[in-house]
Amino acid sequence: MLKWSAIFLVIALIAGIFGFFNLVAAAASIAKVLFFIFLILFVVSLITGRRRSL
């Protein structure tokens, strides 16, 4: 999932260089959403991993 957010970030940067503003907004928002989903899943996995080891 982090890979996809990095891909959309690169797409947003390249599109920003070429001036495709609608594509920039779409790719950046998708990258943000995927990053936050990854972050939430990471925190949940940390919490559940600690619970099992105790």
Side-chain angles (χ1 to χ4, degrees), residues 3-13 24 26-28 30-32 34:
K3 178 182 173 183
W4 282 105
S5 62
I7 289 171
F8 280 111
L9 177 65
V10 170
I11 290 172
L13 292 174
V24 172
I30 291 172
K32 268 193 232 179
L34 288 176

Side-chain angles (χ1 to χ4, degrees), residues 29-48:
S29 64
I30 291 172
K32 268 193 232 179
V33 169
L34 288 176
F35 175 74
F36 284 120
I37 290 173
F38 171 77
L39 189 64
I40 290 169
L41 289 175
F42 176 71
V43 170
V44 168
S45 68
L46 282 178
I47 292 170
T48 58

Side-chain angles (χ1 to χ4, degrees), residues 14-33:
I14 291 172
I17 291 171
F18 292 119
F20 299 116
F21 295 108
N22 291 334
L23 184 63
V24 172
S29 64
I30 291 172
K32 268 193 232 179
V33 169

